[in-house]
Amino acid sequence: MADIRKRKKVLLIEPNYSNKFPPVGLMKISTYHKELGFDVVFYKGDLKQFVIERIADKCINEFTSIDNTIDWYIRKDLFVEYIRTKRKYILQQLHISDSEMEILLSAKIAEYKEYYWKGFWEKEPEWDRVFITTFFTFY
């Protein structure tokens, strides 16, 4: 009988700063959790940018399931920028009007924008555990 339990997910974050060496602490945490059977994702950069990119990916997946005649992934930067800034001119650059499902897609992207801006993503965590490393250099 297959194990139908959802695999636990771990997010490892290293801030986006210049360094020569990989984060050994995060690597050890990664190995430990992988041995326990967790799904582990490593990200280097800003946490908020990571969250916006994940939300944009989910939005693009829904767009693709609604209308797969357009390659929405090539416009990912526009999805990210619109969700981050809420600027209408970016929404126009997405060319949602190219789709026969324009009304539905417009509602979906508005839904994902609100999901980010109203903080719903904080109330529905995607990750079971989050680890962040910091590196301080004193000159």
Side-chain angles (χ1 to χ4, degrees):
M1 186 151 93
D3 187 4
I4 59 172
R5 292 179 292 183
K6 184 178 170 190
R7 287 181 61 147
K8 295 202 175 196
K9 296 169 70 176
V10 174
L11 173 61
L12 306 174
I13 299 175
E14 179 184 17
N16 194 21
Y17 50 76
S18 177
N19 58 344
K20 294 182 195 176
F21 306 104
V24 176
L26 286 183
M27 291 172 25
K28 287 182 178 185
I29 291 170
S30 172
T31 301
Y32 172 77
H33 283 91
K34 285 178 181 177
E35 288 177 358
L36 292 176
F38 285 52
D39 289 329
V40 178
V41 172
F42 177 82
Y43 181 78
K44 181 172 179 144
D46 180 56
L47 176 61
K48 285 195 176 190
Q49 183 67 23
F50 176 75
V51 168
I52 293 170
E53 288 176 15
R54 296 293 286 198
I55 293 170
D57 285 338
K58 290 176 185 178
C59 184
I60 292 168
N61 286 338
E62 274 207 58
F63 268 52
T64 303
S65 68
I66 293 168
D67 181 358
N68 63 1
T69 63
I70 298 172
D71 185 1
W72 298 106
Y73 287 97
I74 62 172
R75 303 174 188 177
K76 181 179 177 178
D77 291 343
L78 293 170
F79 279 87
V80 168
E81 193 64 17
Y82 177 69
I83 291 169
R84 187 178 70 79
T85 64
K86 303 192 287 186
R87 295 196 173 130
K88 291 190 186 283
Y89 76 89
I90 296 170
L91 186 59
Q92 293 167 348
Q93 292 175 356
L94 277 170
H95 296 289
I96 295 173
S97 59
D98 293 351
S99 172
E100 292 179 6
M101 306 298 281
E102 176 183 4
I103 295 171
L104 184 57
L105 295 175
S106 295
K108 278 293 170 192
I109 197 162
E111 181 182 314
Y112 279 98
K113 175 190 67 167
E114 294 303 314
Y115 180 78
Y116 174 71
W117 280 96
K118 291 188 176 177
F120 295 136
W121 61 273
E122 293 174 325
K123 297 174 182 95
E124 301 169 4
E126 181 179 353
W127 307 97
D128 297 299
R129 297 179 183 173
V130 177
F131 297 90
I132 302 172
T133 188
T134 58
F135 182 75
F136 296 100
T137 302
F138 299 98
Y139 294 97

mmCIF file of all heavy atoms in Angstrom, residues 69-100:
data_model
loop_
_atom_site.group_PDB
_atom_site.id
_atom_site.type_symbol
_atom_site.label_atom_id
_atom_site.label_comp_id
_atom_site.label_asym_id
_atom_site.label_seq_id
_atom_site.Cartn_x
_atom_site.Cartn_y
_atom_site.Cartn_z
ATOM 1 N N THR A 69 -2.920 27.736 -24.915
ATOM 2 C CA THR A 69 -2.528 28.148 -26.262
ATOM 3 C C THR A 69 -1.454 29.236 -26.233
ATOM 4 O O THR A 69 -0.847 29.533 -27.254
ATOM 5 C CB THR A 69 -3.742 28.667 -27.069
ATOM 6 O OG1 THR A 69 -4.268 29.842 -26.431
ATOM 7 C CG2 THR A 69 -4.819 27.608 -27.178
ATOM 8 N N ILE A 70 -1.227 29.818 -25.068
ATOM 9 C CA ILE A 70 -0.220 30.869 -24.906
ATOM 10 C C ILE A 70 0.824 30.371 -23.910
ATOM 11 O O ILE A 70 0.487 29.779 -22.887
ATOM 12 C CB ILE A 70 -0.873 32.181 -24.393
ATOM 13 C CG1 ILE A 70 -1.899 32.697 -25.410
ATOM 14 C CG2 ILE A 70 0.182 33.234 -24.108
ATOM 15 C CD1 ILE A 70 -2.734 33.857 -24.930
ATOM 16 N N ASP A 71 2.100 30.612 -24.222
ATOM 17 C CA ASP A 71 3.178 30.239 -23.304
ATOM 18 C C ASP A 71 3.331 31.345 -22.266
ATOM 19 O O ASP A 71 4.042 32.328 -22.480
ATOM 20 C CB ASP A 71 4.483 30.024 -24.073
ATOM 21 C CG ASP A 71 5.599 29.521 -23.166
ATOM 22 O OD1 ASP A 71 5.356 29.319 -21.953
ATOM 23 O OD2 ASP A 71 6.721 29.340 -23.675
ATOM 24 N N TRP A 72 2.653 31.182 -21.138
ATOM 25 C CA TRP A 72 2.650 32.201 -20.082
ATOM 26 C C TRP A 72 3.995 32.278 -19.371
ATOM 27 O O TRP A 72 4.339 33.310 -18.802
ATOM 28 C CB TRP A 72 1.525 31.924 -19.092
ATOM 29 C CG TRP A 72 0.173 31.971 -19.717
ATOM 30 C CD1 TRP A 72 -0.642 30.908 -20.004
ATOM 31 C CD2 TRP A 72 -0.543 33.127 -20.172
ATOM 32 N NE1 TRP A 72 -1.797 31.336 -20.595
ATOM 33 C CE2 TRP A 72 -1.773 32.700 -20.709
ATOM 34 C CE3 TRP A 72 -0.260 34.496 -20.177
ATOM 35 C CZ2 TRP A 72 -2.715 33.562 -21.236
ATOM 36 C CZ3 TRP A 72 -1.197 35.376 -20.698
ATOM 37 C CH2 TRP A 72 -2.415 34.901 -21.220
ATOM 38 N N TYR A 73 4.773 31.193 -19.395
ATOM 39 C CA TYR A 73 6.048 31.176 -18.675
ATOM 40 C C TYR A 73 7.058 32.175 -19.239
ATOM 41 O O TYR A 73 7.910 32.665 -18.514
ATOM 42 C CB TYR A 73 6.650 29.769 -18.665
ATOM 43 C CG TYR A 73 5.914 28.849 -17.734
ATOM 44 C CD1 TYR A 73 4.940 27.985 -18.205
ATOM 45 C CD2 TYR A 73 6.169 28.871 -16.366
ATOM 46 C CE1 TYR A 73 4.241 27.153 -17.347
ATOM 47 C CE2 TYR A 73 5.477 28.048 -15.493
ATOM 48 C CZ TYR A 73 4.518 27.192 -15.994
ATOM 49 O OH TYR A 73 3.826 26.382 -15.142
ATOM 50 N N ILE A 74 6.967 32.491 -20.520
ATOM 51 C CA ILE A 74 7.918 33.464 -21.074
ATOM 52 C C ILE A 74 7.629 34.870 -20.558
ATOM 53 O O ILE A 74 8.448 35.763 -20.712
ATOM 54 C CB ILE A 74 7.937 33.445 -22.625
ATOM 55 C CG1 ILE A 74 6.577 33.835 -23.202
ATOM 56 C CG2 ILE A 74 8.405 32.110 -23.140
ATOM 57 C CD1 ILE A 74 6.581 34.009 -24.706
ATOM 58 N N ARG A 75 6.474 35.038 -19.923
ATOM 59 C CA ARG A 75 6.096 36.341 -19.364
ATOM 60 C C ARG A 75 6.202 36.369 -17.838
ATOM 61 O O ARG A 75 5.634 37.234 -17.184
ATOM 62 C CB ARG A 75 4.670 36.689 -19.792
ATOM 63 C CG ARG A 75 4.492 36.699 -21.302
ATOM 64 C CD ARG A 75 3.068 36.895 -21.712
ATOM 65 N NE ARG A 75 2.934 36.704 -23.150
ATOM 66 C CZ ARG A 75 1.801 36.754 -23.802
ATOM 67 N NH1 ARG A 75 0.670 37.010 -23.162
ATOM 68 N NH2 ARG A 75 1.756 36.556 -25.097
ATOM 69 N N LYS A 76 6.943 35.415 -17.282
ATOM 70 C CA LYS A 76 7.014 35.288 -15.822
ATOM 71 C C LYS A 76 7.485 36.578 -15.152
ATOM 72 O O LYS A 76 6.955 36.968 -14.115
ATOM 73 C CB LYS A 76 7.927 34.136 -15.420
ATOM 74 C CG LYS A 76 7.995 33.981 -13.900
ATOM 75 C CD LYS A 76 8.856 32.856 -13.454
ATOM 76 C CE LYS A 76 8.901 32.841 -11.929
ATOM 77 N NZ LYS A 76 9.693 31.749 -11.406
ATOM 78 N N ASP A 77 8.476 37.250 -15.740
ATOM 79 C CA ASP A 77 8.970 38.491 -15.136
ATOM 80 C C ASP A 77 7.859 39.524 -14.999
ATOM 81 O O ASP A 77 7.810 40.268 -14.015
ATOM 82 C CB ASP A 77 10.114 39.075 -15.960
ATOM 83 C CG ASP A 77 11.371 38.234 -15.882
ATOM 84 O OD1 ASP A 77 11.472 37.394 -14.962
ATOM 85 O OD2 ASP A 77 12.252 38.401 -16.742
ATOM 86 N N LEU A 78 6.948 39.558 -15.961
ATOM 87 C CA LEU A 78 5.824 40.495 -15.895
ATOM 88 C C LEU A 78 4.836 40.093 -14.794
ATOM 89 O O LEU A 78 4.304 40.946 -14.092
ATOM 90 C CB LEU A 78 5.117 40.589 -17.242
ATOM 91 C CG LEU A 78 5.937 41.227 -18.367
ATOM 92 C CD1 LEU A 78 5.234 41.059 -19.708
ATOM 93 C CD2 LEU A 78 6.193 42.695 -18.077
ATOM 94 N N PHE A 79 4.594 38.796 -14.642
ATOM 95 C CA PHE A 79 3.732 38.321 -13.558
ATOM 96 C C PHE A 79 4.313 38.739 -12.214
ATOM 97 O O PHE A 79 3.608 39.269 -11.352
ATOM 98 C CB PHE A 79 3.587 36.791 -13.599
ATOM 99 C CG PHE A 79 2.584 36.279 -14.580
ATOM 100 C CD1 PHE A 79 2.939 36.038 -15.896
ATOM 101 C CD2 PHE A 79 1.286 36.011 -14.191
ATOM 102 C CE1 PHE A 79 2.021 35.548 -16.810
ATOM 103 C CE2 PHE A 79 0.357 35.524 -15.086
ATOM 104 C CZ PHE A 79 0.723 35.297 -16.401
ATOM 105 N N VAL A 80 5.611 38.495 -12.042
ATOM 106 C CA VAL A 80 6.286 38.836 -10.781
ATOM 107 C C VAL A 80 6.192 40.334 -10.517
ATOM 108 O O VAL A 80 5.834 40.767 -9.418
ATOM 109 C CB VAL A 80 7.760 38.368 -10.813
ATOM 110 C CG1 VAL A 80 8.551 38.955 -9.655
ATOM 111 C CG2 VAL A 80 7.833 36.849 -10.816
ATOM 112 N N GLU A 81 6.485 41.125 -11.535
ATOM 113 C CA GLU A 81 6.480 42.585 -11.367
ATOM 114 C C GLU A 81 5.079 43.114 -11.079
ATOM 115 O O GLU A 81 4.899 44.007 -10.244
ATOM 116 C CB GLU A 81 7.069 43.253 -12.615
ATOM 117 C CG GLU A 81 7.393 44.702 -12.437
ATOM 118 C CD GLU A 81 8.477 44.976 -11.395
ATOM 119 O OE1 GLU A 81 9.225 44.064 -11.008
ATOM 120 O OE2 GLU A 81 8.558 46.140 -10.951
ATOM 121 N N TYR A 82 4.067 42.553 -11.735
ATOM 122 C CA TYR A 82 2.698 43.015 -11.481
ATOM 123 C C TYR A 82 2.260 42.672 -10.062
ATOM 124 O O TYR A 82 1.696 43.512 -9.357
ATOM 125 C CB TYR A 82 1.712 42.433 -12.492
ATOM 126 C CG TYR A 82 0.297 42.850 -12.182
ATOM 127 C CD1 TYR A 82 -0.101 44.178 -12.351
ATOM 128 C CD2 TYR A 82 -0.625 41.956 -11.667
ATOM 129 C CE1 TYR A 82 -1.384 44.586 -12.029
ATOM 130 C CE2 TYR A 82 -1.907 42.361 -11.348
ATOM 131 C CZ TYR A 82 -2.281 43.667 -11.529
ATOM 132 O OH TYR A 82 -3.547 44.082 -11.199
ATOM 133 N N ILE A 83 2.537 41.458 -9.626
ATOM 134 C CA ILE A 83 2.148 41.060 -8.265
ATOM 135 C C ILE A 83 2.893 41.913 -7.240
ATOM 136 O O ILE A 83 2.328 42.320 -6.231
ATOM 137 C CB ILE A 83 2.401 39.556 -8.050
ATOM 138 C CG1 ILE A 83 1.405 38.747 -8.896
ATOM 139 C CG2 ILE A 83 2.300 39.181 -6.581
ATOM 140 C CD1 ILE A 83 1.717 37.275 -8.981
ATOM 141 N N ARG A 84 4.152 42.232 -7.519
ATOM 142 C CA ARG A 84 4.961 43.018 -6.586
ATOM 143 C C ARG A 84 4.526 44.476 -6.525
ATOM 144 O O ARG A 84 4.488 45.087 -5.458
ATOM 145 C CB ARG A 84 6.441 42.938 -6.986
ATOM 146 C CG ARG A 84 7.385 43.569 -5.987
ATOM 147 C CD ARG A 84 8.830 43.421 -6.411
ATOM 148 N NE ARG A 84 9.157 44.232 -7.571
ATOM 149 C CZ ARG A 84 9.401 45.543 -7.527
ATOM 150 N NH1 ARG A 84 9.348 46.197 -6.395
ATOM 151 N NH2 ARG A 84 9.699 46.194 -8.633
ATOM 152 N N THR A 85 4.160 45.076 -7.664
ATOM 153 C CA THR A 85 3.924 46.520 -7.709
ATOM 154 C C THR A 85 2.468 46.939 -7.901
ATOM 155 O O THR A 85 2.116 48.077 -7.621
ATOM 156 C CB THR A 85 4.725 47.167 -8.851
ATOM 157 O OG1 THR A 85 4.241 46.655 -10.096
ATOM 158 C CG2 THR A 85 6.204 46.904 -8.701
ATOM 159 N N LYS A 86 1.630 46.063 -8.429
ATOM 160 C CA LYS A 86 0.214 46.354 -8.742
ATOM 161 C C LYS A 86 0.057 47.420 -9.830
ATOM 162 O O LYS A 86 -0.970 48.062 -9.921
ATOM 163 C CB LYS A 86 -0.564 46.793 -7.504
ATOM 164 C CG LYS A 86 -0.543 45.811 -6.374
ATOM 165 C CD LYS A 86 -1.540 46.139 -5.289
ATOM 166 C CE LYS A 86 -1.158 47.308 -4.455
ATOM 167 N NZ LYS A 86 -2.054 47.521 -3.322
ATOM 168 N N ARG A 87 1.045 47.621 -10.667
ATOM 169 C CA ARG A 87 0.978 48.657 -11.703
ATOM 170 C C ARG A 87 0.199 48.154 -12.915
ATOM 171 O O ARG A 87 0.523 47.130 -13.496
ATOM 172 C CB ARG A 87 2.376 49.092 -12.107
ATOM 173 C CG ARG A 87 3.087 49.757 -10.945
ATOM 174 C CD ARG A 87 4.288 50.523 -11.402
ATOM 175 N NE ARG A 87 4.826 51.262 -10.277
ATOM 176 C CZ ARG A 87 6.096 51.244 -9.936
ATOM 177 N NH1 ARG A 87 6.964 50.553 -10.638
ATOM 178 N NH2 ARG A 87 6.501 51.948 -8.905
ATOM 179 N N LYS A 88 -0.794 48.919 -13.314
ATOM 180 C CA LYS A 88 -1.691 48.510 -14.399
ATOM 181 C C LYS A 88 -0.994 48.401 -15.746
ATOM 182 O O LYS A 88 -1.350 47.551 -16.559
ATOM 183 C CB LYS A 88 -2.873 49.466 -14.492
ATOM 184 C CG LYS A 88 -3.818 49.347 -13.311
ATOM 185 C CD LYS A 88 -5.082 50.116 -13.559
ATOM 186 C CE LYS A 88 -5.963 50.128 -12.345
ATOM 187 N NZ LYS A 88 -6.676 48.911 -12.110
ATOM 188 N N TYR A 89 0.008 49.242 -15.998
ATOM 189 C CA TYR A 89 0.673 49.169 -17.302
ATOM 190 C C TYR A 89 1.397 47.830 -17.478
ATOM 191 O O TYR A 89 1.531 47.329 -18.597
ATOM 192 C CB TYR A 89 1.630 50.352 -17.517
ATOM 193 C CG TYR A 89 2.933 50.281 -16.772
ATOM 194 C CD1 TYR A 89 4.044 49.656 -17.344
ATOM 195 C CD2 TYR A 89 3.078 50.850 -15.520
ATOM 196 C CE1 TYR A 89 5.246 49.596 -16.677
ATOM 197 C CE2 TYR A 89 4.283 50.795 -14.843
ATOM 198 C CZ TYR A 89 5.360 50.166 -15.424
ATOM 199 O OH TYR A 89 6.550 50.102 -14.754
ATOM 200 N N ILE A 90 1.836 47.221 -16.385
ATOM 201 C CA ILE A 90 2.477 45.902 -16.461
ATOM 202 C C ILE A 90 1.431 44.854 -16.817
ATOM 203 O O ILE A 90 1.690 43.951 -17.620
ATOM 204 C CB ILE A 90 3.187 45.557 -15.143
ATOM 205 C CG1 ILE A 90 4.323 46.550 -14.893
ATOM 206 C CG2 ILE A 90 3.717 44.126 -15.169
ATOM 207 C CD1 ILE A 90 4.940 46.476 -13.528
ATOM 208 N N LEU A 91 0.253 44.993 -16.247
ATOM 209 C CA LEU A 91 -0.846 44.080 -16.569
ATOM 210 C C LEU A 91 -1.169 44.133 -18.059
ATOM 211 O O LEU A 91 -1.407 43.110 -18.694
ATOM 212 C CB LEU A 91 -2.078 44.437 -15.729
ATOM 213 C CG LEU A 91 -3.267 43.507 -15.823
ATOM 214 C CD1 LEU A 91 -2.889 42.098 -15.394
ATOM 215 C CD2 LEU A 91 -4.404 44.027 -14.972
ATOM 216 N N GLN A 92 -1.123 45.322 -18.635
ATOM 217 C CA GLN A 92 -1.376 45.464 -20.066
ATOM 218 C C GLN A 92 -0.283 44.786 -20.893
ATOM 219 O O GLN A 92 -0.559 44.217 -21.946
ATOM 220 C CB GLN A 92 -1.481 46.945 -20.439
ATOM 221 C CG GLN A 92 -2.693 47.617 -19.846
ATOM 222 C CD GLN A 92 -2.640 49.137 -19.952
ATOM 223 O OE1 GLN A 92 -1.601 49.701 -20.268
ATOM 224 N NE2 GLN A 92 -3.761 49.775 -19.674
ATOM 225 N N GLN A 93 0.949 44.806 -20.404
ATOM 226 C CA GLN A 93 2.054 44.166 -21.119
ATOM 227 C C GLN A 93 1.955 42.640 -21.116
ATOM 228 O O GLN A 93 2.574 41.981 -21.947
ATOM 229 C CB GLN A 93 3.396 44.588 -20.515
ATOM 230 C CG GLN A 93 3.738 46.033 -20.738
ATOM 231 C CD GLN A 93 5.024 46.433 -20.028
ATOM 232 O OE1 GLN A 93 5.633 45.644 -19.311
ATOM 233 N NE2 GLN A 93 5.440 47.669 -20.223
ATOM 234 N N LEU A 94 1.166 42.091 -20.200
ATOM 235 C CA LEU A 94 0.958 40.643 -20.169
ATOM 236 C C LEU A 94 0.123 40.161 -21.354
ATOM 237 O O LEU A 94 0.129 38.982 -21.680
ATOM 238 C CB LEU A 94 0.269 40.227 -18.862
ATOM 239 C CG LEU A 94 1.162 40.049 -17.662
ATOM 240 C CD1 LEU A 94 0.333 39.883 -16.401
ATOM 241 C CD2 LEU A 94 2.075 38.855 -17.845
ATOM 242 N N HIS A 95 -0.612 41.062 -21.964
ATOM 243 C CA HIS A 95 -1.458 40.751 -23.131
ATOM 244 C C HIS A 95 -2.453 39.620 -22.834
ATOM 245 O O HIS A 95 -2.602 38.690 -23.620
ATOM 246 C CB HIS A 95 -0.602 40.402 -24.349
ATOM 247 C CG HIS A 95 0.239 41.541 -24.813
ATOM 248 N ND1 HIS A 95 -0.287 42.644 -25.436
ATOM 249 C CD2 HIS A 95 1.579 41.765 -24.712
ATOM 250 C CE1 HIS A 95 0.690 43.499 -25.725
ATOM 251 N NE2 HIS A 95 1.829 42.993 -25.280
ATOM 252 N N ILE A 96 -3.111 39.760 -21.690
ATOM 253 C CA ILE A 96 -4.163 38.797 -21.350
ATOM 254 C C ILE A 96 -5.274 38.859 -22.386
ATOM 255 O O ILE A 96 -5.944 37.866 -22.652
ATOM 256 C CB ILE A 96 -4.691 39.061 -19.920
ATOM 257 C CG1 ILE A 96 -3.574 38.792 -18.907
ATOM 258 C CG2 ILE A 96 -5.916 38.204 -19.613
ATOM 259 C CD1 ILE A 96 -3.904 39.179 -17.498
ATOM 260 N N SER A 97 -5.416 39.997 -23.016
ATOM 261 C CA SER A 97 -6.458 40.162 -24.044
ATOM 262 C C SER A 97 -6.205 39.276 -25.262
ATOM 263 O O SER A 97 -7.116 39.072 -26.070
ATOM 264 C CB SER A 97 -6.541 41.631 -24.468
ATOM 265 O OG SER A 97 -5.296 42.061 -24.979
ATOM 266 N N ASP A 98 -5.007 38.695 -25.389
ATOM 267 C CA ASP A 98 -4.720 37.760 -26.483
ATOM 268 C C ASP A 98 -5.477 36.443 -26.315
ATOM 269 O O ASP A 98 -5.588 35.674 -27.258
ATOM 270 C CB ASP A 98 -3.220 37.458 -26.561
ATOM 271 C CG ASP A 98 -2.395 38.659 -26.972
ATOM 272 O OD1 ASP A 98 -2.991 39.690 -27.357
ATOM 273 O OD2 ASP A 98 -1.156 38.569 -26.905
ATOM 274 N N SER A 99 -5.956 36.198 -25.115
ATOM 275 C CA SER A 99 -6.643 34.947 -24.818
ATOM 276 C C SER A 99 -8.146 35.096 -24.950
ATOM 277 O O SER A 99 -8.718 36.144 -24.652
ATOM 278 C CB SER A 99 -6.321 34.513 -23.383
ATOM 279 O OG SER A 99 -7.104 33.417 -23.003
ATOM 280 N N GLU A 100 -8.788 34.009 -25.365
ATOM 281 C CA GLU A 100 -10.253 33.978 -25.408
ATOM 282 C C GLU A 100 -10.832 33.918 -23.993
ATOM 283 O O GLU A 100 -12.018 34.150 -23.805
ATOM 284 C CB GLU A 100 -10.729 32.771 -26.215
ATOM 285 C CG GLU A 100 -10.391 32.877 -27.692
ATOM 286 C CD GLU A 100 -10.840 31.665 -28.488
ATOM 287 O OE1 GLU A 100 -11.516 30.783 -27.921
ATOM 288 O OE2 GLU A 100 -10.508 31.611 -29.679
#
